[in-house]
Amino acid sequence: MISTVVNRLEEGIIALLLASMTSLTFVNVVMRYVFNSGLTWALEITEFLFAWLILFGMSYGVKVGSHIGVDALVRLFPARVQRVIGLIVVAAGLLYSSWLVIGGWELVSFNHMLEMEAEDSPIMLWFVYLIMPVGAALLAFRLAQVGWRIVTGKQVGFNLADEAREAIDQLAQAGSAAAADHDKSANASTPKS
């Protein structure tokens, strides 16, 4: 129940960020080219939303296994070695995300101390930069989940998006559907006795 709520919340925030960026850009383009005016702060806010989308979405990408990587060599090894390599990848990711948490928190603290606002909009920069430690902490959480699944044997290695396999599967499904349609049309045209 809780994991479902968290998953829906995560997906909802990502969708909201993407919809906000798209809507704001659309409104600004219409205002600029139709009404010969524009929102001076729209580009800056869109950049902030894009940064939030990226840094929030990286943990979601780990969760759903949509990050792209090259694992052709890793797949040649036995499952035990793939697990070790997966744990090394998780450890490197945890190290990276811990650096982002620490550096992001220092950036937030520094900008909070200076009380700086964004250049074109009345938003405090510390709030904008808050996504760095938050996004990195979410990434660390998702990486820890992957590491736990590898340790407990529920997952062999670090799951990456396999675009080639997905394309082959889609072609196979399309071929099966076409063959089924052909069989239906052949059976329909055969006279019944």
Side-chain angles (χ1 to χ4, degrees), residues 44-189:
E44 184 176 62
I45 296 297
T46 303
E47 289 172 355
F48 294 159
L49 290 171
F50 189 61
W52 276 62
L53 179 68
I54 291 169
L55 291 167
F56 197 86
M58 66 185 174
S59 65
Y60 184 75
V62 170
K63 181 182 91 170
V64 299
S66 64
H67 286 287
I68 298 172
V70 179
D71 60 351
L73 180 64
V74 174
R75 290 179 186 236
L76 296 176
F77 293 109
R80 187 175 179 90
V81 176
Q82 287 183 29
R83 278 185 156 127
V84 171
I85 294 170
L87 288 173
I88 291 169
V89 169
V90 167
L94 286 170
L95 179 64
Y96 173 73
S97 58
S98 66
W99 286 339
L100 276 180
V101 168
I102 293 167
W105 186 252
E106 289 176 0
L107 184 64
V108 168
S109 299
F110 181 72
N111 280 284
H112 188 269
M113 179 187 68
L114 294 178
E115 297 180 359
M116 291 180 60
E117 283 187 357
E119 190 173 322
D120 294 328
S121 54
I123 296 176
M124 301 302 285
L125 281 179
W126 70 265
F127 181 75
V128 173
Y129 295 141
L130 189 61
I131 191 58
M132 285 185 68
V134 170
L138 287 170
L139 176 64
F141 174 71
R142 294 297 183 193
L143 288 169
Q145 285 180 325
V146 169
W148 179 251
R149 286 194 301 269
I150 292 172
V151 167
T152 58
K154 295 178 183 173
Q155 190 170 322
V156 176
F158 194 85
N159 287 346
L160 297 170
D162 193 347
E163 293 177 342
R165 173 61 46 208
E166 291 172 9
I168 290 170
D169 291 344
Q170 286 176 349
L171 286 173
Q173 288 174 355
S176 298
D181 289 343
H182 178 70
D183 290 344
K184 283 182 187 177
S185 64
N187 288 339
S189 64

Side-chain angles (χ1 to χ4, degrees), residues 18-30:
L18 187 58
S20 299
M21 278 176 38
T22 305
S23 301
L24 185 58
T25 302
F26 176 75
V27 167
N28 198 34
V29 166
V30 168

